[in-house]
Amino acid sequence: MNVSVVTIQMHSSPKVEDNLTWLAQQLSKVERAEYTLVVLPECFACFGGGESAQQMVAEDYGNGPIQDFIAHQAKKYNLWIVAGSMPIKCPNTALISAASLLFSPDGQCQARYNKIHLFDVEVADKTAVYRESATTIAGTEPVVVHTPFANIGMSVCYDVRFPELYRLMQTKGAEIMVIPSAFTHVTGKAHWDVLMRARAIENQCFIVAANQTGIHQNGRETYGHSIVVDPWGEVVHQHGEQSGLRQSVIDLDRVNQVRRKMPNLQHRKIL
């Protein structure tokens, strides 16, 4: 089965309205297909603000202008949209979930994944110290959602450094794994390509990863180079450092072909 996959690379600002206006323009350019999967970056609607920026624009799950916008765009253009990640309120706390939401062409949210691995690290850039856990509650449950065209495994950014999550999604039947991201320029330059290709090769699946790019309002610098990789580790398409969209057609039969010839799940010795 052929599926059209779209990565939209963004240079998001802290202003939700500006980001959504730009995104609407990009979505209007997507070429029509029977099945089209669009993946947005991490924090697509608000990025590069102060420490409390995500909390200030957080929405209740199922109710809010950001979710309404994505639902409308999915329905308007007949798209499956992975709404990167966005802040969703948590009960009885000011902390949020970094939630990746999958919307179907009828405008309904079909799946929610809460980012499991939070970015609490030190990086040799101007930001230096990242403490995502100061504002965010870690998720606990892997998510593989069944759609009419493919089983989609959901993850976000820093998750990609934890191969056990992707192996688990493979065992649950994932054929496409999506990785909305806001990879820093330093870590992206060192590790982005190799991590994305490794997850595709190990799990014999398509990887679709959309990234933030450029120097943002708060000085944080992200890497860009959004990428689609096939189950053999070959790059289907890749962005440079400019914001915008790329679109390609993938053949999901490629997944079964690779898995049949090299049945690595059957060969596993350590579970």
Side-chain angles (χ1 to χ4, degrees), residues 234-248:
E234 296 179 349
V235 175
V236 177
H237 76 231
Q238 184 164 22
H239 297 241
E241 296 186 353
Q242 297 298 314
S243 57
L245 70 81
R246 294 286 303 274
Q247 183 169 5
S248 295

Side-chain angles (χ1 to χ4, degrees), residues 197-245:
R197 294 187 65 220
R199 297 297 86 85
I201 294 166
E202 292 166 347
N203 300 294
Q204 301 170 317
C205 66
F206 284 95
I207 292 291
V208 184
N211 201 18
Q212 292 279 351
T213 191
I215 301 174
H216 302 269
Q217 185 171 303
N218 61 358
R220 182 169 173 176
E221 187 174 4
T222 49
Y223 183 61
H225 295 84
S226 302
I227 193 169
V228 176
V229 187
D230 83 356
W232 195 244
E234 296 179 349
V235 175
V236 177
H237 76 231
Q238 184 164 22
H239 297 241
E241 296 186 353
Q242 297 298 314
S243 57
L245 70 81

